[in-house]
Amino acid sequence: MIPVQGVENQTIAVLGLGRSGRATAAALAEGGANVVVWDDGVDTREKAAADGMTVLDMTRERNWEGISALITSPGIPHLYPKPHPVIAMAYELGVPVDNDIGLFFRSFATRDWDRFDTAPRVIAITGSNGKSTTTALIHHILHEAGRPAQLGGNIGTGVLSLEPAEDGEVVVLELSSYQTDLARALTPDVAVFTNLSPDHLDRHGGPGGYFAAKRRLFAEGGPDRAVIGVDEVEGRYLADQLSMSPADDRVIRISSGQKLERFGWSVFARKGYLSEYRKGRQVASIDLREIKGLPGEHNHQNACAAYAAARSVGIAPREIERAFHSFQGLPHRSQTVAEIDGVRWVNDSKATNVDAAAKALTAFQNIRWIAGGMGKDGGIEALAPHLGQVVKAYLIGHSARDFALQIGQTPYEIAETMEQAVVRARAEAQPGETVLLAPAAASFDQYPNFEKRGEHFTALVQALTA
């Protein structure tokens, strides 16, 4: 646990008692704060009281007397579509609102660091797609290189549940737009922006607000090194804002598809090869084509981001390459579940939007595509250019019939359920083909989250080998 600094003898309220809320309450108490908590759920409040927490109804103005700050969980709206009533009351009363990410960054450095040979560092990753894979890959590289490292944030351990840093350690954090949007302190040593595509727009008041939430990671604290994906205009804008000239190597531009030679420092992948350029000269290259844990151009972009971040903290190219080959990938993200009778079965349940599904569809050939669920605004018509490798689609869930009207001449059948889709794909798939779960939709019509959807697919596929 990382005790929160600067809160001794203050009364601080915590809103939301999920994993991060409970960890925040414990870290505040460890730092000497008097902690009161509130959650909208009656059962959650009762459990908190049974666990010895002080539950205080923060919807009543009289209970705000003496409250120094309100710490809210990331999932609770603080601005759009409208602030949660407790947060709105904090604004009216002038009580500062923060989240666990802000508390982490103001509490991470301690006096113990005075005796360290090498100060600990933080690498923070944000973006729309590829955050989790990039974060896990960076952590894996550090581990394989023998560097002490911890993994947390939106993946793995909550930030305040991490252990205090040791000498030379690197903490690798995945940060969502929900987390970066509100944090009052954001001071990573290395900040990574993977890419941007429309997502969570209701929460951020539109695409501008969504990008602004991501941009705060770079604008608030000024990282020593910024790794920026420049395959979208927002990334090119951000890189331009952060650099003093094209030769400014504090900004490392990355790309999957573009050749970036004119900048002070760049890392890009083209035709399956990763290249690192410094001051117009190539200094390293890695063949990504046979790395099974990183299939497709979208994973090559993740590889570029992780490579650049690792180079920023002194990891050598050959050490990074070795780590790439031992990386197994993350569940539900282009994860090969099995190969049965020459057919590859791939779980990309995390592909919950059109952009992520497009990346998955371009990573494989001869695809039998399982798609559908709770479709998002705009449908999947934008996937039309990426369906050339689809032999047949098996459509499931709430939006199956809507999707059928949006995939042009691509052969399909309405399978309704995951079980039926797997049965039909198994019966029809030929050697050399890939059965790909890339839903292009949320899971909430049939599953509580994309993980449960992916786990169900995996279990069904594994049962085929029994």
Side-chain angles (χ1 to χ4, degrees), residues 317-336:
R318 292 302 161 221
E319 290 183 289
I320 299 172
E321 182 174 9
R322 283 194 296 271
F324 279 177
H325 281 280
S326 60
F327 183 65
Q328 298 300 310
L330 289 178
H332 319 302
R333 298 161 177 87
S334 295
Q335 173 196 16
T336 297

Side-chain angles (χ1 to χ4, degrees), residues 276-287:
E276 178 187 3
Y277 271 70
R278 302 287 296 270
K279 299 179 179 178
R281 296 179 57 189
Q282 183 173 334
V283 297
S285 177
I286 297 175
D287 185 351

Side-chain angles (χ1 to χ4, degrees), residues 191-207:
V192 179
F193 176 84
T194 57
N195 52 56
L196 196 80
S197 62
D199 210 355
H200 309 303
L201 300 188
D202 59 334
R203 175 65 184 266
H204 297 291

